[in-house]
Amino acid sequence: MSDLPAHTADDDWRSSLTQALGVLVGRPLADFAPDAQYAAYYSGNWLHETESYRDPEWLEPAALTGRTSVSNENLLLLDEIGYPELRFDASRSLFEIDTPAAFPAAFAEDLSAVSLSGPDDLPIVRGADLARSTARHGVDLTSADLPEGTWSLVMAAIVSDGTLPDALRVATGIGEGPDTLVRCAEGGTEVEAAIAAVEHAGIRAHLRAFCDPDSHDLALCPHDMRESGNEDGALVAKWEGAVDQYVITVQRVGP
């Protein structure tokens, strides 16, 4: 009897999904750094227009440390039946601290040390780093004693496992298996040509909603993606939703 692991339907699903997502981004996923960390983000004007960017739920200790996820009924991939509710990971999300001078100097120094922005810009920090700094210095960002607009969410990380296939999976509204696929109506010639090489018929139909650069619902941005690939940039995939109201990106976020 062989001691090799048995081939399973899960293996077929993962292989099909990996192949399809490679078609979508224009490169086999094996071409990307296999050991890097990746994340899918939701950002853009819609965070502000719905006031989601200042929802105190993002700063709940359990959310900011990644123990629980955050949901928000205003933040959707597509406003159509069948797509899963987006779940967000506040620990991997990015926050801007608007008034660092309002805090104790040691806290401001902590933020500066972990900031992802330039030295002359306001600190932008990951939620997990923000959780550690606030706990260390006893800072409550929701305190009424702080100036209004002390903090804001700038990029909400959609829950994923840190791999590229999973970040692309959640960015395209695909659940854990083939029963989560949404069958979209056939698109124009350009749409069908863009996904013609996708081998799995169900995934091919689902991705019709995510491969059209002219869509008014969720437009793929192939120019930005190609530029990033040519320059070995962090951006892997990008969509603009509701005519530039929100942006979904998949990015490399760590080595």
Side-chain angles (χ1 to χ4, degrees), residues 218-239:
L218 196 61
L220 185 68
C221 302
H223 174 73
D224 294 351
M225 294 159 59
R226 283 194 298 269
E227 280 200 342
S228 179
N230 292 338
E231 299 170 2
D232 193 28
L235 178 70
V236 176
K238 178 180 176 181
W239 295 265

Side-chain angles (χ1 to χ4, degrees), residues 31-200:
D31 286 357
F32 294 88
D35 299 323
Q37 290 284 307
Y38 296 86
Y41 290 110
Y42 188 114
S43 61
N45 292 337
W46 193 240
L47 288 174
H48 290 256
E49 292 187 19
T50 60
E51 299 188 354
S52 301
Y53 74 122
R54 293 261 172 83
D55 188 334
E57 186 176 2
W58 297 105
L59 298 184
E60 291 289 336
L64 210 55
T65 54
R67 299 196 305 275
T68 63
S69 62
V70 176
S71 64
N72 186 307
E73 64 182 7
N74 294 311
L75 308 183
L76 308 169
L77 281 179
L78 288 163
D79 190 14
E80 296 178 20
I81 295 173
Y83 294 100
E85 176 186 46
L86 289 181
R87 306 294 301 181
F88 296 97
D89 182 351
S91 72
R92 301 181 75 193
S93 298
L94 304 184
F95 297 83
E96 182 177 75
I97 307 304
D98 296 341
T99 52
F103 302 108
F107 177 66
E109 290 172 4
D110 255 15
L111 294 182
S112 178
V114 296
S115 175
L116 302 176
S117 57
D120 298 326
D121 299 317
L122 293 173
I124 293 179
V125 298
R126 291 190 181 91
D129 293 323
L130 189 59
R132 283 188 286 270
S133 294
T134 53
R136 183 180 298 125
H137 299 284
V139 171
D140 178 7
L141 291 175
T142 64
S143 171
D145 296 332
L146 291 173
E148 185 178 356
T150 295
W151 66 275
S152 60
L153 173 74
V154 292
M155 298 183 77
I158 305 171
V159 171
S160 69
D161 67 9
T163 65
L164 179 55
D166 207 53
L168 288 167
R169 177 185 68 81
V170 299
T172 51
I174 297 175
E176 297 289 347
D179 59 331
T180 65
L181 296 170
V182 176
R183 182 173 181 79
C184 299
E186 289 192 16
T189 302
E190 185 177 1
V191 169
E192 297 304 320
I195 53 171
V198 173
E199 296 169 358
H200 189 289

